[in-house]
Amino acid sequence: MAQTGETRIQLCGRLVVRLGERRVEDALPGGNGRLLLAYLVLNRLRRMDRDELLTAVYGEDAPPDHHPRLSVLLSKLRRVVGPELLPGRSEIELVLPRDAFVDVEAAFEALHRAQSHVASGEWAEAWGPSGVAYHVASRALLQGFDRPWLDEWRRRLDDVRLRGLECFAAARLGLGGPTLPQAEECGRRLIEMAPYRETGHRILMEALERNGNTAEAMLVYDRLRVLLRDELGIAPSPAVQSVYRRLIGKTITTA
């Protein structure tokens, strides 16, 4: 829940623009106004000239005579958000309060924290930020709009979603016990999302192993081995093969 007076901009999923006490997303000047605001938010750490903004809103084929349209659009946007947030004439920047929340930025920052905690084996600390990264990036960015720069940001968020789920799964695997079924579920989801990415296979193998399902874990390895051999002509990575060798050792021991 947003706190009273908080500046909060949500670009993934339902568009939300809270500027202090005001919710202004419904007052934005149409679809182009939403595109312009989103571009300014995603690039708010730098200044942008009008040619760049013209391309961002109207496309790469926009003729120079669209500059008056851009000027009108900027004026309308300034009336909605306040001129103090959009200073500049030839170069424009979006100036938000230092404590402003932007969901896309939060997802990238949360992923960084999650990966740091996983690298340090801090499983409980990795749980929360990995969930933030995964869930924010799972929502569509500015749904219904199509621009090359949006496609690039969507690809970046797809990577955040995948890596966030990897951290989520690693945290559950590291904590063990009652969280192992969740690690197994995350492993299966990772394989569905990125079948050639071996992390999901390894996590699923280890989760099944710890739950006593050694044979099923070996089947996961075999399916990966066949996939990589038939499609890419390569073998699984040393990390995955190490888990498999451990599984073989268990089957020999119990034989």
Side-chain angles (χ1 to χ4, degrees), residues 68-125:
R69 296 188 186 185
L70 178 65
S71 296
V72 172
L73 187 63
L74 277 167
S75 296
K76 290 180 178 179
L77 186 59
R78 282 194 175 99
R79 285 198 291 269
V80 173
V81 304
E84 70 280 1
L85 297 188
L86 280 178
R89 290 299 172 187
S90 60
E91 291 188 331
I92 313 297
E93 63 180 323
L94 180 66
V95 181
L96 297 178
R98 292 175 61 88
D99 61 349
F101 173 88
V102 177
D103 63 343
V104 174
E105 295 174 3
F108 281 96
E109 190 274 335
L111 177 62
H112 175 73
R113 285 190 289 122
Q115 290 178 321
S116 296
H117 288 309
V118 167
S120 300
E122 299 166 347
W123 310 121
E125 291 81 0

Side-chain angles (χ1 to χ4, degrees), residues 31-185:
N32 286 339
R34 293 185 170 213
L35 275 172
L36 178 58
L37 179 65
Y39 191 82
L40 289 164
V41 169
L42 292 172
N43 296 276
R44 72 184 182 102
L45 299 181
R46 63 184 181 86
R47 294 182 176 182
M48 292 148 276
D49 62 35
R50 286 174 175 259
D51 286 337
E52 179 180 348
L53 296 178
L54 184 74
T55 300
V57 175
Y58 298 105
E60 296 182 357
D61 297 329
D65 61 11
H66 272 48
H67 273 287
R69 296 188 186 185
L70 178 65
S71 296
V72 172
L73 187 63
L74 277 167
S75 296
K76 290 180 178 179
L77 186 59
R78 282 194 175 99
R79 285 198 291 269
V80 173
V81 304
E84 70 280 1
L85 297 188
L86 280 178
R89 290 299 172 187
S90 60
E91 291 188 331
I92 313 297
E93 63 180 323
L94 180 66
V95 181
L96 297 178
R98 292 175 61 88
D99 61 349
F101 173 88
V102 177
D103 63 343
V104 174
E105 295 174 3
F108 281 96
E109 190 274 335
L111 177 62
H112 175 73
R113 285 190 289 122
Q115 290 178 321
S116 296
H117 288 309
V118 167
S120 300
E122 299 166 347
W123 310 121
E125 291 81 0
W127 188 308
S130 62
V132 171
Y134 174 73
H135 290 297
V136 170
S138 293
R139 298 193 291 263
L141 173 66
L142 217 62
Q143 191 168 13
F145 293 90
D146 182 21
R147 290 290 186 277
W149 58 269
L150 277 173
D151 292 339
E152 176 59 30
W153 277 98
R154 285 165 182 158
R155 284 191 290 270
R156 293 178 64 185
L157 285 168
D158 284 343
D159 186 63
V160 169
R161 178 177 181 239
L162 182 61
R163 293 179 183 272
L165 185 57
E166 286 178 343
C167 291
F168 213 39
R172 282 158 165 71
L173 188 64
L175 289 169
T179 68
L180 284 176
Q182 296 170 328
E184 179 181 332
E185 178 185 346

